[in-house]
Amino acid sequence: MQIDIAPTLALLFGVPIPKNNVGVLIREAFDSLKEDKHLRALELNSWQLLRLLQAQLSGLPCRNFPCDAFYDHQSSGSTDCNHETEDMLCCLYMEATTLYTSWKSKRGFESASNKDYRSTAAAYYKFLKSASEWLSRRSTDKPVKLLALGLATMFVSTVILSSLMFCRLRQIYHGGKQQSLNLNDSMNGWSLDETFILSVILILVSSMTSSSMVEEEHYIWYFLISTFYLLLLRKTAQSLCAVRFQSSFFTQNGQSREGYFRMCFVFLLLTSGRVLRGWHQGGVNWTSLPDISKWLEQAGSQHVKSLQLISAFLVISIGLFALFSIESKGKCFQMVRLSFLISGLLVLLHITKYQDYTFSSTDYGATLLVQIIYAILGVATIGTVVALPWVIPFSTSKICPTDNTISPLFLSIHEKFPLVELRDSLYVIGWAYVLCWCLLQLLLQQPVNTTPILLLLLQILAGTLYFARSGTHHKEWVEIAAFYYLGMAGHFALGNTNTLATIDVAGAFIGISSHSTLLSGILMFIITYASPMFILLSLVMYISMKNMAHLVIPEKAGPEDHLMMMLGFSCLVPLVINSILLTAYTVVLLLMQNHLFVWSVFSPKYLYVCATAVCTYIGVLIVAATGFYAYFVLVMRKQKPYSC
């Protein structure tokens, strides 16, 4: 066996046996040695396995094992060790050591014979074989009951989350007797985009059973997200054709203009998605092929630096433009704008002064500057989330620029449900989340990944604006699922793969003055899961911009029902998709436990799947906590009006 090679070579060369090796020295390699050297090698090998046995079986009393036969040095035969596993191993070890002690005491006398040597060696080999087999089984044995319990828990959680989402679907789309007049007929049946969204899950689950598909998973995501964009293009073109057909009878200029806007957003999604797809050549089989990042590196550091500065400037400009376009001039909004403006300028200063095209500087000035940026971003973001619902003024004017009219439904519940102020608060908080995350990525990501961050931001904005203007063309759960898929495609577009070798370890130490495993781990998580978390945080902004007036709401619905209408799908859809994929891949990993690539392909992929689950739950928790907190604060203020 392969494990036997290590102790054999170690004993032949006179070096220690590897600490956790459970092998047995190969008999044929020691037959030519003298008897004393052979038995000494067996003794050292036995000590190695005995130490491992004592680590596995605490308090193993081999030294005090009661067996009178071991002390009968005149006994020529071996004893019969018919005990339980622990006692049997002790019995075999004590028998071998006793025979070895007897052989050493007789050496040099005529009573010492070749028969004693053979019986001692046989006793040692018997112990070594038994101990090695037991340790090997112990290291590969799996707690079947615990695995079954964990898998059952995953399955039950998946069923519960799926049931909640289906109940939500039935309640919103089929729960009322009266439906909005502008509700598309496709809302009551399966449309092509809904079928495709569900098919994506089946495709992903099926691909998990192939090691090659796991290694090249990014191609699946690229293909699926591009196909979905083409479906959006097809649906937008169909809506434009329908508007043109109706224009001969009615005036449809406004609808036609909205259709052209949606068409531009789809083209922006397709273009940015194609550039992202070619930015990094990930996977295993085609890593040698050229991609955009390799071309930039070959072109020279100046090109990378220039593109990095342009992309960073555009990202910061887009975020600041969104914040400065808010009409309110209250002190709280001025503080939010000023904080992120300062953070953006400091990030540009860090990029210009300290970042090389391959890595960031680690001197004291760079570390101090990054720590200042961390502090300002943390205070600005948390302060915005906590303080904004308390100070946002109650008025009929709206902050969100995409929602120019309030539906009669929203106006009718405005007195008991602060929906307008809630949407305005979530709009500002959502942009604070997005801008904070972008600035963090500009600091932590490799310089060549700055442009993909810009492209991801453009895709998020284009997708949000498209869905905000689409009205009833798509169900909300389809839109949330599309955002989730976009996040996974962006995860691979940033250079990540399903192998642990692509994790950016260097960026995990930016801004840390002394070693901290916890802080470095958090930064590594932020870098690795930049795109999925980016998408989840942007859902706060999506919620504030999405017009949900077409949804069917029960007549006796309270404020909590309207809050759940806003947050329900944004929280449930990512959890359902993640639960299905996590449960499916757990089953796949159990089935592939004896696969040749279980440690090189399937196990690293499972680590990524578990980390993705953690990322999803954190993101959903942030979205839900933000929505509920803003809602309850505004309800409290509604009872006692207050403004800054």
Side-chain angles (χ1 to χ4, degrees):
M1 296 177 63
Q2 294 179 352
I3 58 175
D4 297 335
I5 298 176
T8 302
L9 294 177
L11 292 171
L12 286 175
F13 286 101
V15 296
I17 300 174
K19 183 178 180 180
N20 293 320
N21 181 265
V22 296
V24 178
L25 56 84
I26 301 174
R27 183 193 298 262
E28 292 77 7
F30 291 84
D31 286 343
S32 60
L33 297 180
K34 294 182 180 180
E35 295 178 353
D36 56 341
K37 292 184 178 181
H38 188 189
L39 293 179
R40 176 60 177 169
L42 290 171
E43 183 183 34
L44 294 174
N45 198 180
S46 299
W47 287 352
Q48 160 73 11
L49 297 188
L50 180 64
R51 182 182 59 81
L52 295 177
L53 287 173
Q54 291 173 338
Q56 294 285 338
L57 303 170
S58 58
L60 193 68
C62 289
R63 294 295 180 184
N64 301 319
F65 190 85
C67 188
D68 296 336
F70 296 154
Y71 301 99
D72 184 7
H73 293 178
Q74 304 299 324
S75 176
S76 59
S78 61
T79 58
D80 186 14
C81 296
N82 294 324
H83 305 282
E84 296 296 332
T85 302
E86 295 83 354
D87 294 339
M88 180 196 70
L89 294 174
C90 281
C91 179
L92 293 175
Y93 175 76
M94 292 301 297
E95 177 185 2
T97 55
T98 301
L99 291 175
Y100 183 45
T101 303
S102 175
W103 179 85
K104 287 192 295 184
S105 64
K106 295 180 180 180
R107 188 175 55 176
F109 297 94
E110 295 181 358
S111 58
S113 63
N114 188 262
K115 183 179 180 181
D116 294 332
Y117 160 73
R118 290 197 303 269
S119 61
T120 303
Y124 267 123
Y125 278 114
K126 186 176 181 180
F127 164 73
L128 290 172
K129 292 293 184 183
S130 301
S132 178
E133 292 176 0
W134 188 87
L135 289 169
S136 299
R137 287 196 304 269
R138 186 65 176 262
S139 62
T140 56
D141 281 347
K142 301 172 183 61
V144 179
K145 293 183 179 179
L146 290 178
L147 289 175
L149 179 62
L151 191 60
T153 304
M154 291 182 183
F155 180 77
V156 170
S157 65
T158 303
V159 172
I160 292 175
L161 291 172
S162 302
S163 301
L164 289 175
M165 195 182 76
F166 287 135
C167 291
R168 196 71 194 157
L169 283 170
R170 186 168 57 252
Q171 178 183 2
I172 289 180
Y173 294 110
H174 305 287
K177 296 180 180 179
Q178 297 179 352
Q179 297 188 1
S180 179
L181 295 176
N182 65 341
L183 186 61
N184 196 313
D185 292 338
S186 65
M187 301 296 288
N188 292 322
W190 288 99
S191 60
L192 184 59
D193 56 347
E194 297 174 52
T195 305
F196 178 78
I197 289 295
L198 293 179
S199 301
V200 169
I201 300 177
L202 297 178
I203 294 172
L204 292 172
V205 171
S206 302
S207 67
M208 289 178 176
T209 58
S210 170
S211 61
S212 299
M213 299 298 286
V214 171
E215 291 175 340
E216 311 297 335
E217 184 183 355
H218 55 287
Y219 287 112
I220 300 176
W221 286 111
Y222 294 156
F223 173 78
L224 294 176
I225 198 67
S226 299
T227 305
F228 182 76
Y229 292 159
L230 291 177
L231 292 179
L232 296 183
L233 183 64
R234 172 182 176 272
K235 197 158 214 177
T236 305
Q238 287 179 339
S239 64
L240 280 175
C241 293
V243 169
R244 287 185 176 181
F245 176 77
Q246 295 176 0
S247 62
S248 58
F249 304 95
F250 305 99
T251 303
Q252 299 291 340
N253 292 334
Q255 295 184 16
S256 179
R257 185 169 59 252
E258 288 294 324
Y260 286 121
F261 275 124
R262 293 200 305 271
M263 185 72 74
C264 293
F265 294 143
V266 174
F267 278 116
L268 180 58
L269 287 171
L270 286 168
T271 304
S272 58
R274 184 63 188 91
V275 177
L276 277 174
R277 178 179 179 178
W279 201 265
H280 286 286
Q281 188 66 49
V284 175
N285 296 322
W286 293 282
T287 54
S288 59
L289 296 179
D291 52 37
I292 299 177
S293 62
K294 292 187 179 70
W295 288 340
L296 288 173
E297 292 173 357
Q298 293 173 1
S301 60
Q302 293 300 324
H303 293 81
V304 177
K305 190 72 172 182
S306 301
L307 191 59
Q308 180 189 13
L309 286 173
I310 295 173
S311 301
F313 178 77
L314 290 176
V315 168
I316 297 172
S317 299
I318 292 172
L320 292 177
F321 174 78
L323 292 178
F324 278 90
S325 63
I326 298 173
E327 297 180 358
S328 178
K329 300 184 182 300
K331 294 181 180 179
C332 52
F333 293 101
Q334 297 294 347
M335 290 297 297
V336 172
R337 295 165 182 151
L338 181 61
S339 299
F340 283 104
L341 175 61
I342 294 174
S343 300
L345 294 176
L346 291 178
V347 169
L348 288 177
L349 175 62
H350 182 271
I351 293 175
T352 305
K353 188 175 181 180
Y354 295 109
Q355 282 193 3
D356 194 357
Y357 87 102
T358 54
F359 57 87
S360 298
S361 176
T362 57
D363 61 17
Y364 177 76
T367 302
L368 180 60
L369 179 59
V370 173
Q371 291 176 352
I372 293 174
I373 296 173
Y374 287 161
I376 296 176
L377 283 178
V379 172
T381 306
I382 297 176
T384 302
V385 175
V386 174
L388 186 64
W390 290 99
V391 299
I392 188 171
F394 286 104
S395 63
T396 57
S397 62
K398 296 166 291 305
I399 293 174
C400 180
T402 62
D403 197 8
N404 296 323
T405 58
I406 304 179
S407 67
L409 173 64
F410 289 160
L411 286 175
S412 64
I413 63 173
H414 181 63
E415 292 300 325
K416 64 176 181 178
F417 180 64
L419 186 62
V420 176
E421 289 76 16
L422 177 61
R423 291 166 70 93
D424 293 347
S425 299
L426 293 180
Y427 177 77
V428 179
I429 293 173
W431 267 111
Y433 282 151
V434 168
L435 187 53
C436 175
W437 194 255
C438 287
L439 293 177
L440 281 178
Q441 298 306 320
L442 294 179
L443 280 176
L444 301 177
Q445 290 283 346
Q446 297 179 8
V448 75
N449 279 343
T450 306
T451 302
I453 295 298
L454 171 63
L455 295 175
L456 282 174
L457 176 60
L458 293 177
Q459 284 198 317
I460 290 173
L461 293 180
T464 303
L465 292 173
Y466 174 86
F467 291 133
R469 295 174 179 269
S470 63
T472 61
H473 288 84
H474 305 279
K475 291 185 179 179
E476 188 185 355
W477 68 271
V478 174
E479 299 171 357
I480 302 296
F483 274 119
Y484 186 88
Y485 298 157
L486 171 61
M488 293 307 301
H491 172 73
F492 293 100
L494 288 172
N496 298 294
T497 64
N498 285 327
T499 61
L500 302 180
T502 55
I503 296 178
D504 186 5
V505 180
F509 298 94
I510 297 177
I512 299 179
S513 55
S514 59
H515 177 71
S516 174
T517 304
L518 177 61
L519 294 179
S520 297
I522 293 174
L523 293 179
M524 190 183 303
F525 183 83
I526 291 174
I527 296 171
T528 306
Y529 287 91
S531 179
M533 186 62 74
F534 197 3
I535 294 297
L536 293 172
L537 293 178
S538 67
L539 291 180
V540 178
M541 181 176 61
Y542 163 83
I543 292 170
S544 67
M545 299 173 67
K546 178 65 178 176
N547 185 5
M548 302 179 184
H550 61 277
L551 300 180
V552 177
I553 305 174
E555 297 179 357
K556 298 182 179 180
E560 295 81 6
D561 295 321
H562 296 93
L563 179 65
M564 290 302 299
M565 179 188 67
M566 296 180 68
L567 298 177
F569 287 123
S570 299
C571 297
L572 284 175
V573 173
L575 293 180
V576 170
I577 297 175
N578 179 79
S579 297
I580 293 175
L581 297 180
L582 178 61
T583 305
Y585 196 75
T586 302
V587 175
V588 170
L589 186 62
L590 291 176
L591 296 176
M592 298 294 176
Q593 57 184 314
N594 296 321
H595 195 278
L596 181 62
F597 300 139
V598 63
W599 294 113
S600 60
V601 177
F602 291 103
S603 294
K605 169 60 179 174
Y606 191 70
L607 295 178
Y608 277 106
V609 171
C610 294
T612 303
V614 174
C615 173
T616 303
Y617 277 92
I618 293 175
V620 169
L621 179 62
I622 292 174
V623 174
T626 302
F628 277 100
Y629 173 77
Y631 165 74
F632 284 114
V633 170
L634 290 171
V635 167
M636 292 175 59
R637 290 185 58 206
K638 198 74 172 179
Q639 298 174 356
K640 184 179 180 180
Y642 169 79
S643 62
C644 64

